C-alpha cells in the first residue's frame, strides 16, 4: 500500500509530531511505501494577517504540490494529520480530484473550536461547538490571543462548513477515543465517517520496577494541563512523596517558584525520551491533572507500557483511558485536595499499587501495541479504498 502522509509541523515539537512519526515509521516497517508532505507552522508568525487568512482557507500552493505528487505517483490513501494553517483543506480537494480517498486523524478540536482546545480562561469552553459561524471565539480572541487571527481561523471553518468540505471531502475521520468521537458528532461531523483508533507506543519501552519512591508528571507546563492543581496538591501532601516534573512551557516560572517552597518538588525540564521512560518506569505513579478535554493522553499509555498506574483527572478522554481502581485512580478535575487524597490512598495501599502496576502493563499489551494499532489502521485504509466491502482482519501488505 502507498500512502501520502500530510502534516503541518508545529514550531515546538509535541505529542502530535511523535504520533505522526511513529505511525509513518510503523507503516514503513511493515512494508508499505509512505511519502510525507510536510509544511511548517512557523510561517504564521512571518505572514501578514490577510495573507495568512487566505492561505488558511485555501492554499493554492499546497493544492498544486499535492496534485503534482498524486499525478507523479500512485497512492492508495492520503492520510492528513494536520492541515492547519499552511496546507489548508485544499489538500482534500487535490486528493478527490485525483480519485484518492482521504483519511483525517483528529489530533485536536480545530474543526470545532478556533483554538483547538475547547478551553478558555482556565475552564472548559464549548461555546463555538455546532455554530455555523464560531463567533464567540472571535469575540474572545481565542487563537493566539488575537481577534484578527481568530477571525481568520473562524472564516476558514465557516467557509468550509458552507462548502460541505467536512462532510463530503473526507472519507474517514479517526478519533482517538470514544469521548472525542462523541464531541465531533455533536459538533456536526457525520457519525458514520468517524472511527476510533487510539495512539500507540512503539517500540515497547519495557516494564519498569516502580522502586523510585516518587510521583511523576510529564508534559507541557501550561494552564490547561492543570499545573496549578498539581502544585497545590503537593503543598497539601506536605512531603509524603517526592514529585518530579518533566517538561517545559509558559508556567515554568510557577514550577520554579514551587521548587523553592517545596523541597519535595523537583523540576527536571526537558529530558530525552530514553530518560523519560526510565523515570516513568521507576515512578510509583504518574500524575495526569489536565483541565481540558484531552483528545487522547499518550503519556498515560506510555506509563501503562512501563507498568506505572496513573492518577488522572476524571475528565474526557482520561476518564476513558484510565480505568478507575484497575489501571489507576480518578480525581475531581481542578481539585488539589481530591488529588492529594487519591495519592495518599495509593501510598497507604502498596498491594493495590502493585496490582495496578500489573493491570497497567496488561492494558498496554491488550490495546496499545504497534501490532494492534497496525491492524486497526490498515483496516481503516481498506475501508476507504473498498467502501462497499465488509472487511474483518487486515492482511499485512497489499
Amino acid at each position: 500500500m502507498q500512502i501520502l502522509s500530510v502534516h503541518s509541523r508545529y514550531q515546538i515539537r509535541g505529542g502530535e509530531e511523535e504520533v505522526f512519526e511513529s505511525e509513518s515509521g510503523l507503516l514503513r516497517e511493515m512494508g508499505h511505501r509512505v511519502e510525507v508532505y510536510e509544511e511548517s507552522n512557523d510561517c504564521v508568525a512571518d505572514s501578514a494577517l490577510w495573507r495568512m487568512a487566505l492561505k488558511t482557507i485555501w492554499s493554492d500552493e499546497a493544492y498544486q504540490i499535492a496534485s503534482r505528487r498524486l499525478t507523479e505517483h500512485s497512492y492508495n490513501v492520503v492520510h492528513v494529520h494536520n492541515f492547519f494553517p499552511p496546507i489548508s483543506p485544499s489538500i482534500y480537494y487535490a486528493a478527490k480530484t485525483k480519485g484518492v480517498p482521504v483519511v483525517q486523524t483528529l489530533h485536536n478540536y480545530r474543526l470545532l473550536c478556533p483554538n483547538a482546545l475547547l478551553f478558555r480562561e482556565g475552564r472548559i469552553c464549548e461555546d463555538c461547538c455546532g455554530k455555523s459561524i464560531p463567533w464567540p471565539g472571535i469575540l474572545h480572541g481565542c487563537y493566539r490571543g488575537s481577534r484578527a487571527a481568530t477571525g481568520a481561523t473562524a472564516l476558514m471553518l465557516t467557509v468550509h462548513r458552507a462548502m460541505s468540505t467536512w462532510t463530503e471531502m473526507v472519507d474517514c475521520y479517526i478519533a482517538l477515543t470514544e469521548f472525542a468521537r462523541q464531541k465531533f458528532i455533536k459538533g456536526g461531523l457525520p457519525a458514520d465517517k468517524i472511527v476510533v483508533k487510539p495512539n500507540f507506543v512503539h517500540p515497547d519501552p519495557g516494564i519498569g520496577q516502580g522502586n523510585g519512591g516518587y510521583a511523576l508528571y510529564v508534559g507541557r507546563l501550561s494552564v490547561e494541563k492543570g499545573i496549578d492543581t498539581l502544585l497545590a496538591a503537593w503543598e497539601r501532601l506536605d512531603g509524603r512523596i517526592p514529585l518530579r516534573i518533566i517538561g517545559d512551557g509558559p508556567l515554568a516560572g510557577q514550577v520554579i517558584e514551587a521548587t523553592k517552597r517545596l523541597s519535595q518538588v523537583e523540576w527536571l525540564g526537558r529530558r530525552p525520551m530514553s530518560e523519560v521512560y526510565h523515570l516513568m518506569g521507576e515512578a510509583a505513579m504518574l500524575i495526569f491533572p489536565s483541565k481540558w478535554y484531552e483528545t487522547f493522553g499518550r503519556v498515560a499509555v506510555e506509563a501503562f507500557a512501563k507498568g506505572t498506574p496513573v492518577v488522572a483527572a476524571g475528565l474526557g478522554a482520561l476518564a476513558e483511558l484510565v480505568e478507575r481502581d484497575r489501571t489507576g485512580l480518578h480525581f475531581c478535575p481542578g481539585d488539589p485536595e481530591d488529588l492529594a487524597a487519591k495519592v495518599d490512598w495509593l501510598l497507604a495501599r502498596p498491594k493495590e499499587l502493585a496490582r495496578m502496576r500489573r493491570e497497567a502493563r496488561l492494558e498496554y499489551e491488550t490495546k496499545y501495541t504497534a501490532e494492534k494499532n497496525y491492524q486497526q489502521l490498515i483496516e481503516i485504509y481498506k475501508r476507504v479504498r473498498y467502501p462497499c466491502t465488509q472487511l474483518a482482519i487486515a492482511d499485512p501488505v497489499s
Side-chain angles (χ1 to χ4, degrees):
M1 191 176 291
Q2 300 184 78
I3 302 104
L4 180 61
S5 192
V6 181
H7 184 54
S8 180
R9 182 179 292 276
Y10 294 104
Q11 186 176 14
I12 299 174
R13 179 186 171 88
E16 185 175 317
E17 277 70 31
E18 292 177 2
V19 172
F20 166 70
E21 291 169 2
S22 295
E23 194 167 273
S24 298
L26 175 61
L27 286 166
R28 291 188 182 106
E29 284 181 29
M30 300 304 291
H32 302 283
R33 177 169 165 258
V34 181
E35 298 293 335
V36 174
Y37 171 34
E38 189 173 61
E39 297 281 357
S40 171
N41 276 333
D42 295 359
C43 67
V44 175
D46 300 332
S47 298
L49 182 60
W50 64 269
R51 190 182 299 115
M52 187 198 83
L54 291 175
K55 193 170 186 178
T56 296
I57 297 168
W58 183 276
S59 171
D60 192 59
E61 178 184 4
Y63 180 88
Q64 296 300 332
I65 290 172
S67 295
R68 186 164 57 250
R69 289 201 181 191
L70 292 167
T71 299
E72 292 171 352
H73 301 283
S74 176
Y75 293 98
N76 303 114
V77 176
V78 171
H79 189 157
V80 183
H81 287 267
N82 181 26
F83 64 76
F84 184 84
I87 296 175
S88 85
S90 67
I91 188 72
Y92 303 150
Y93 288 84
K96 284 297 182 181
T97 298
K98 300 299 180 180
V100 182
V102 173
V103 173
Q104 168 75 60
T105 296
L106 300 164
H107 290 286
N108 57 44
Y109 297 105
R110 181 77 64 193
L111 300 189
L112 309 180
C113 166
N115 78 1
L117 298 176
L118 296 179
F119 190 85
R120 175 172 60 83
E121 298 176 355
R123 63 175 180 83
I124 297 292
C125 174
E126 300 183 52
D127 291 353
C128 291
C129 284
K131 288 184 170 59
S132 57
I133 300 175
W135 59 265
I138 303 172
L139 179 66
H140 296 289
C142 290
Y143 179 58
R144 293 179 174 252
S146 165
R147 288 181 178 175
T150 307
T153 306
L155 183 59
M156 179 273 292
L157 295 172
T158 301
V159 167
H160 285 285
R161 180 170 292 187
M163 292 172 63
S164 299
T165 299
W166 315 129
T167 55
E168 301 299 327
M169 291 294 110
V170 178
D171 295 278
C172 183
Y173 290 98
I174 297 176
L176 304 179
T177 59
E178 181 60 30
F179 174 85
R181 179 176 182 270
Q182 292 302 322
K183 285 295 174 189
F184 284 107
I185 293 171
K186 181 181 176 182
L189 295 189
D192 62 341
K193 286 190 175 185
I194 310 176
V195 299
V196 176
K197 182 193 75 65
N199 291 332
F200 64 102
V201 177
H202 179 65
D204 180 353
I207 192 167
Q209 298 303 310
N211 294 327
Y214 56 85
L216 183 69
Y217 169 86
V218 179
R220 181 169 165 78
L221 308 183
S222 56
V223 174
E224 71 275 8
K225 291 293 186 178
I227 297 301
D228 57 339
T229 305
L230 178 69
L231 297 176
W234 249 257
E235 288 192 28
R236 288 161 172 77
L237 284 166
D238 195 27
R240 288 193 285 280
I241 181 172
L243 171 67
R244 296 184 180 181
I245 297 175
I246 297 175
D248 204 350
L251 298 188
Q254 287 189 24
V255 174
I256 292 171
E257 285 300 314
T259 62
K260 295 175 182 177
R261 298 192 318 272
L262 307 169
S263 61
Q264 292 291 312
V265 176
E266 182 182 6
W267 180 42
L268 303 178
R270 294 175 183 270
R271 286 289 188 270
M273 206 62 222
S274 58
E275 186 175 346
V276 173
Y277 279 148
H278 173 73
L279 290 166
M280 194 176 280
E282 292 305 308
M285 63 192 79
L286 180 93
I287 311 298
F288 208 141
S290 277
K291 294 181 176 181
W292 74 294
Y293 292 144
E294 298 270 356
T295 52
F296 187 63
R298 178 182 166 89
V299 171
V301 174
E302 290 171 336
F304 292 163
K306 299 299 297 184
T308 302
V310 178
V311 180
L315 178 73
L318 293 179
E320 182 178 331
L321 289 179
V322 180
E323 186 176 337
R324 186 168 50 197
D325 299 327
R326 190 176 80 84
T327 58
L329 296 175
H330 297 169
F331 70 93
C332 183
D335 186 341
E337 290 189 5
D338 194 34
L339 171 53
K342 294 303 190 295
V343 172
D344 259 340
W345 190 91
L346 271 181
L347 290 175
R349 294 166 175 81
K351 289 184 179 179
E352 283 295 299
L353 193 57
R355 179 184 62 81
M356 287 184 186
R357 290 194 66 84
R358 295 190 296 270
E359 292 293 337
R361 175 64 189 185
L362 180 61
E363 186 79 348
Y364 164 72
E365 293 172 349
T366 304
K367 297 180 181 178
Y368 304 115
T369 63
E371 292 77 15
K372 296 285 185 183
N373 202 276
Y374 172 74
Q375 292 174 1
Q376 292 174 295
L377 183 59
I378 294 302
E379 188 72 14
I380 290 167
Y381 287 168
K382 287 187 172 183
R383 168 178 168 168
V384 298
R385 290 179 65 198
Y386 313 112
C388 295
T389 304
Q390 294 296 316
L391 300 161
I393 300 175
D395 59 351
V397 181
S398 64

PDB file of all heavy atoms in Angstrom, residues 11-33:
ATOM      1  N   GLN A  11       6.134  24.576  15.566  1.00  0.00           N
ATOM      2  CA  GLN A  11       7.472  25.067  15.846  1.00  0.00           C
ATOM      3  C   GLN A  11       8.087  24.320  17.027  1.00  0.00           C
ATOM      4  O   GLN A  11       9.250  23.969  17.026  1.00  0.00           O
ATOM      5  CB  GLN A  11       7.433  26.576  16.152  1.00  0.00           C
ATOM      6  CG  GLN A  11       8.806  27.206  16.326  1.00  0.00           C
ATOM      7  CD  GLN A  11       8.712  28.702  16.526  1.00  0.00           C
ATOM      8  OE1 GLN A  11       7.649  29.237  16.795  1.00  0.00           O
ATOM      9  NE2 GLN A  11       9.820  29.377  16.383  1.00  0.00           N
ATOM     10  N   ILE A  12       7.266  24.083  18.067  1.00  0.00           N
ATOM     11  CA  ILE A  12       7.715  23.329  19.223  1.00  0.00           C
ATOM     12  C   ILE A  12       7.200  21.907  19.085  1.00  0.00           C
ATOM     13  O   ILE A  12       5.996  21.669  19.022  1.00  0.00           O
ATOM     14  CB  ILE A  12       7.210  23.950  20.539  1.00  0.00           C
ATOM     15  CG1 ILE A  12       7.751  25.372  20.683  1.00  0.00           C
ATOM     16  CG2 ILE A  12       7.625  23.102  21.726  1.00  0.00           C
ATOM     17  CD1 ILE A  12       7.199  26.108  21.884  1.00  0.00           C
ATOM     18  N   ARG A  13       8.113  20.957  19.045  1.00  0.00           N
ATOM     19  CA  ARG A  13       7.746  19.559  18.865  1.00  0.00           C
ATOM     20  C   ARG A  13       6.855  19.090  20.013  1.00  0.00           C
ATOM     21  O   ARG A  13       7.109  19.361  21.174  1.00  0.00           O
ATOM     22  CB  ARG A  13       9.021  18.710  18.817  1.00  0.00           C
ATOM     23  CG  ARG A  13       8.766  17.215  18.655  1.00  0.00           C
ATOM     24  CD  ARG A  13      10.079  16.475  18.760  1.00  0.00           C
ATOM     25  NE  ARG A  13       9.871  15.044  18.818  1.00  0.00           N
ATOM     26  CZ  ARG A  13       9.778  14.256  17.769  1.00  0.00           C
ATOM     27  NH1 ARG A  13       9.866  14.759  16.574  1.00  0.00           N
ATOM     28  NH2 ARG A  13       9.595  12.965  17.908  1.00  0.00           N
ATOM     29  N   GLY A  14       5.806  18.399  19.674  1.00  0.00           N
ATOM     30  CA  GLY A  14       4.881  17.919  20.700  1.00  0.00           C
ATOM     31  C   GLY A  14       4.434  16.508  20.421  1.00  0.00           C
ATOM     32  O   GLY A  14       4.963  15.810  19.559  1.00  0.00           O
ATOM     33  N   GLY A  15       3.410  16.079  21.163  1.00  0.00           N
ATOM     34  CA  GLY A  15       2.922  14.715  21.052  1.00  0.00           C
ATOM     35  C   GLY A  15       2.400  14.373  19.675  1.00  0.00           C
ATOM     36  O   GLY A  15       2.532  13.238  19.213  1.00  0.00           O
ATOM     37  N   GLU A  16       1.794  15.350  18.998  1.00  0.00           N
ATOM     38  CA  GLU A  16       1.249  15.087  17.665  1.00  0.00           C
ATOM     39  C   GLU A  16       2.358  14.697  16.689  1.00  0.00           C
ATOM     40  O   GLU A  16       2.183  13.813  15.853  1.00  0.00           O
ATOM     41  CB  GLU A  16       0.522  16.331  17.162  1.00  0.00           C
ATOM     42  CG  GLU A  16      -0.183  16.143  15.838  1.00  0.00           C
ATOM     43  CD  GLU A  16      -0.986  17.360  15.439  1.00  0.00           C
ATOM     44  OE1 GLU A  16      -1.674  17.927  16.313  1.00  0.00           O
ATOM     45  OE2 GLU A  16      -0.914  17.741  14.258  1.00  0.00           O
ATOM     46  N   GLU A  17       3.517  15.375  16.800  1.00  0.00           N
ATOM     47  CA  GLU A  17       4.637  15.050  15.933  1.00  0.00           C
ATOM     48  C   GLU A  17       5.137  13.629  16.190  1.00  0.00           C
ATOM     49  O   GLU A  17       5.465  12.894  15.268  1.00  0.00           O
ATOM     50  CB  GLU A  17       5.783  16.049  16.145  1.00  0.00           C
ATOM     51  CG  GLU A  17       5.640  17.355  15.378  1.00  0.00           C
ATOM     52  CD  GLU A  17       4.519  18.226  15.920  1.00  0.00           C
ATOM     53  OE1 GLU A  17       4.253  18.177  17.135  1.00  0.00           O
ATOM     54  OE2 GLU A  17       3.892  18.952  15.128  1.00  0.00           O
ATOM     55  N   GLU A  18       5.189  13.245  17.473  1.00  0.00           N
ATOM     56  CA  GLU A  18       5.645  11.905  17.824  1.00  0.00           C
ATOM     57  C   GLU A  18       4.708  10.837  17.247  1.00  0.00           C
ATOM     58  O   GLU A  18       5.163   9.811  16.740  1.00  0.00           O
ATOM     59  CB  GLU A  18       5.730  11.764  19.344  1.00  0.00           C
ATOM     60  CG  GLU A  18       6.830  12.608  19.975  1.00  0.00           C
ATOM     61  CD  GLU A  18       6.842  12.508  21.482  1.00  0.00           C
ATOM     62  OE1 GLU A  18       6.011  11.755  22.034  1.00  0.00           O
ATOM     63  OE2 GLU A  18       7.670  13.191  22.106  1.00  0.00           O
ATOM     64  N   VAL A  19       3.415  11.090  17.331  1.00  0.00           N
ATOM     65  CA  VAL A  19       2.440  10.140  16.795  1.00  0.00           C
ATOM     66  C   VAL A  19       2.585  10.031  15.283  1.00  0.00           C
ATOM     67  O   VAL A  19       2.601   8.923  14.717  1.00  0.00           O
ATOM     68  CB  VAL A  19       1.004  10.572  17.166  1.00  0.00           C
ATOM     69  CG1 VAL A  19      -0.018   9.701  16.442  1.00  0.00           C
ATOM     70  CG2 VAL A  19       0.799  10.491  18.673  1.00  0.00           C
ATOM     71  N   PHE A  20       2.703  11.174  14.611  1.00  0.00           N
ATOM     72  CA  PHE A  20       2.848  11.206  13.161  1.00  0.00           C
ATOM     73  C   PHE A  20       4.075  10.399  12.720  1.00  0.00           C
ATOM     74  O   PHE A  20       4.009   9.570  11.811  1.00  0.00           O
ATOM     75  CB  PHE A  20       2.963  12.671  12.718  1.00  0.00           C
ATOM     76  CG  PHE A  20       3.445  12.867  11.309  1.00  0.00           C
ATOM     77  CD1 PHE A  20       2.647  12.522  10.237  1.00  0.00           C
ATOM     78  CD2 PHE A  20       4.691  13.409  11.055  1.00  0.00           C
ATOM     79  CE1 PHE A  20       3.080  12.710   8.933  1.00  0.00           C
ATOM     80  CE2 PHE A  20       5.135  13.603   9.765  1.00  0.00           C
ATOM     81  CZ  PHE A  20       4.336  13.255   8.702  1.00  0.00           C
ATOM     82  N   GLU A  21       5.196  10.631  13.393  1.00  0.00           N
ATOM     83  CA  GLU A  21       6.424   9.938  13.037  1.00  0.00           C
ATOM     84  C   GLU A  21       6.364   8.453  13.367  1.00  0.00           C
ATOM     85  O   GLU A  21       6.836   7.613  12.597  1.00  0.00           O
ATOM     86  CB  GLU A  21       7.609  10.605  13.734  1.00  0.00           C
ATOM     87  CG  GLU A  21       7.907  11.998  13.184  1.00  0.00           C
ATOM     88  CD  GLU A  21       8.904  12.774  14.041  1.00  0.00           C
ATOM     89  OE1 GLU A  21       9.395  12.199  15.038  1.00  0.00           O
ATOM     90  OE2 GLU A  21       9.186  13.937  13.713  1.00  0.00           O
ATOM     91  N   SER A  22       5.757   8.111  14.510  1.00  0.00           N
ATOM     92  CA  SER A  22       5.648   6.701  14.898  1.00  0.00           C
ATOM     93  C   SER A  22       4.785   5.932  13.916  1.00  0.00           C
ATOM     94  O   SER A  22       5.118   4.810  13.518  1.00  0.00           O
ATOM     95  CB  SER A  22       5.059   6.581  16.310  1.00  0.00           C
ATOM     96  OG  SER A  22       5.918   7.145  17.268  1.00  0.00           O
ATOM     97  N   GLU A  23       3.667   6.545  13.517  1.00  0.00           N
ATOM     98  CA  GLU A  23       2.750   5.861  12.610  1.00  0.00           C
ATOM     99  C   GLU A  23       3.387   5.672  11.239  1.00  0.00           C
ATOM    100  O   GLU A  23       3.294   4.585  10.647  1.00  0.00           O
ATOM    101  CB  GLU A  23       1.460   6.669  12.494  1.00  0.00           C
ATOM    102  CG  GLU A  23       0.316   5.900  11.862  1.00  0.00           C
ATOM    103  CD  GLU A  23      -1.006   6.610  12.056  1.00  0.00           C
ATOM    104  OE1 GLU A  23      -1.652   6.385  13.097  1.00  0.00           O
ATOM    105  OE2 GLU A  23      -1.373   7.403  11.172  1.00  0.00           O
ATOM    106  N   SER A  24       4.046   6.705  10.734  1.00  0.00           N
ATOM    107  CA  SER A  24       4.717   6.596   9.433  1.00  0.00           C
ATOM    108  C   SER A  24       5.816   5.545   9.491  1.00  0.00           C
ATOM    109  O   SER A  24       5.977   4.728   8.572  1.00  0.00           O
ATOM    110  CB  SER A  24       5.306   7.948   9.026  1.00  0.00           C
ATOM    111  OG  SER A  24       4.293   8.920   8.876  1.00  0.00           O
ATOM    112  N   GLY A  25       6.587   5.554  10.588  1.00  0.00           N
ATOM    113  CA  GLY A  25       7.662   4.577  10.733  1.00  0.00           C
ATOM    114  C   GLY A  25       7.143   3.159  10.811  1.00  0.00           C
ATOM    115  O   GLY A  25       7.727   2.236  10.228  1.00  0.00           O
ATOM    116  N   LEU A  26       6.036   2.959  11.527  1.00  0.00           N
ATOM    117  CA  LEU A  26       5.452   1.626  11.646  1.00  0.00           C
ATOM    118  C   LEU A  26       4.999   1.098  10.293  1.00  0.00           C
ATOM    119  O   LEU A  26       5.249  -0.066   9.945  1.00  0.00           O
ATOM    120  CB  LEU A  26       4.276   1.665  12.621  1.00  0.00           C
ATOM    121  CG  LEU A  26       3.466   0.375  12.769  1.00  0.00           C
ATOM    122  CD1 LEU A  26       4.344  -0.764  13.279  1.00  0.00           C
ATOM    123  CD2 LEU A  26       2.273   0.603  13.700  1.00  0.00           C
ATOM    124  N   LEU A  27       4.351   1.955   9.515  1.00  0.00           N
ATOM    125  CA  LEU A  27       3.890   1.526   8.194  1.00  0.00           C
ATOM    126  C   LEU A  27       5.066   1.115   7.309  1.00  0.00           C
ATOM    127  O   LEU A  27       4.994   0.124   6.575  1.00  0.00           O
ATOM    128  CB  LEU A  27       3.092   2.652   7.530  1.00  0.00           C
ATOM    129  CG  LEU A  27       1.682   2.880   8.093  1.00  0.00           C
ATOM    130  CD1 LEU A  27       1.123   4.209   7.620  1.00  0.00           C
ATOM    131  CD2 LEU A  27       0.746   1.736   7.698  1.00  0.00           C
ATOM    132  N   ARG A  28       6.145   1.876   7.392  1.00  0.00           N
ATOM    133  CA  ARG A  28       7.334   1.524   6.603  1.00  0.00           C
ATOM    134  C   ARG A  28       7.916   0.188   7.070  1.00  0.00           C
ATOM    135  O   ARG A  28       8.330  -0.635   6.247  1.00  0.00           O
ATOM    136  CB  ARG A  28       8.379   2.632   6.713  1.00  0.00           C
ATOM    137  CG  ARG A  28       7.983   3.929   6.015  1.00  0.00           C
ATOM    138  CD  ARG A  28       9.140   4.915   5.984  1.00  0.00           C
ATOM    139  NE  ARG A  28       8.751   6.172   5.370  1.00  0.00           N
ATOM    140  CZ  ARG A  28       8.528   7.303   6.035  1.00  0.00           C
ATOM    141  NH1 ARG A  28       8.680   7.337   7.360  1.00  0.00           N
ATOM    142  NH2 ARG A  28       8.175   8.408   5.398  1.00  0.00           N
ATOM    143  N   GLU A  29       7.955  -0.020   8.375  1.00  0.00           N
ATOM    144  CA  GLU A  29       8.460  -1.278   8.913  1.00  0.00           C
ATOM    145  C   GLU A  29       7.662  -2.465   8.382  1.00  0.00           C
ATOM    146  O   GLU A  29       8.223  -3.552   8.161  1.00  0.00           O
ATOM    147  CB  GLU A  29       8.369  -1.278  10.446  1.00  0.00           C
ATOM    148  CG  GLU A  29       9.431  -0.460  11.149  1.00  0.00           C
ATOM    149  CD  GLU A  29       9.284  -0.545  12.657  1.00  0.00           C
ATOM    150  OE1 GLU A  29       8.778  -1.587  13.152  1.00  0.00           O
ATOM    151  OE2 GLU A  29       9.653   0.423  13.342  1.00  0.00           O
ATOM    152  N   MET A  30       6.378  -2.251   8.173  1.00  0.00           N
ATOM    153  CA  MET A  30       5.500  -3.325   7.717  1.00  0.00           C
ATOM    154  C   MET A  30       5.471  -3.450   6.198  1.00  0.00           C
ATOM    155  O   MET A  30       4.648  -4.191   5.653  1.00  0.00           O
ATOM    156  CB  MET A  30       4.090  -3.107   8.267  1.00  0.00           C
ATOM    157  CG  MET A  30       4.015  -3.093   9.794  1.00  0.00           C
ATOM    158  SD  MET A  30       4.676  -4.599  10.567  1.00  0.00           S
ATOM    159  CE  MET A  30       3.434  -5.792  10.073  1.00  0.00           C
ATOM    160  N   GLY A  31       6.331  -2.728   5.530  1.00  0.00           N
ATOM    161  CA  GLY A  31       6.489  -2.913   4.083  1.00  0.00           C
ATOM    162  C   GLY A  31       5.708  -1.980   3.200  1.00  0.00           C
ATOM    163  O   GLY A  31       5.700  -2.143   1.972  1.00  0.00           O
ATOM    164  N   HIS A  32       5.059  -0.966   3.760  1.00  0.00           N
ATOM    165  CA  HIS A  32       4.301  -0.018   2.958  1.00  0.00           C
ATOM    166  C   HIS A  32       5.190   1.163   2.549  1.00  0.00           C
ATOM    167  O   HIS A  32       6.142   1.514   3.248  1.00  0.00           O
ATOM    168  CB  HIS A  32       3.091   0.501   3.736  1.00  0.00           C
ATOM    169  CG  HIS A  32       2.164  -0.588   4.176  1.00  0.00           C
ATOM    170  ND1 HIS A  32       1.280  -1.204   3.325  1.00  0.00           N
ATOM    171  CD2 HIS A  32       2.000  -1.185   5.393  1.00  0.00           C
ATOM    172  CE1 HIS A  32       0.591  -2.126   3.991  1.00  0.00           C
ATOM    173  NE2 HIS A  32       1.020  -2.136   5.251  1.00  0.00           N
ATOM    174  N   ARG A  33       4.838   1.785   1.453  1.00  0.00           N
ATOM    175  CA  ARG A  33       5.561   2.974   0.992  1.00  0.00           C
ATOM    176  C   ARG A  33       4.842   4.209   1.528  1.00  0.00           C
ATOM    177  O   ARG A  33       3.673   4.436   1.214  1.00  0.00           O
ATOM    178  CB  ARG A  33       5.610   3.014  -0.533  1.00  0.00           C
ATOM    179  CG  ARG A  33       6.291   4.262  -1.094  1.00  0.00           C
ATOM    180  CD  ARG A  33       6.533   4.104  -2.599  1.00  0.00           C
ATOM    181  NE  ARG A  33       6.849   5.389  -3.197  1.00  0.00           N
ATOM    182  CZ  ARG A  33       6.000   6.132  -3.890  1.00  0.00           C
ATOM    183  NH1 ARG A  33       4.758   5.700  -4.066  1.00  0.00           N
ATOM    184  NH2 ARG A  33       6.352   7.281  -4.409  1.00  0.00           N
TER     185      ARG A  33
END
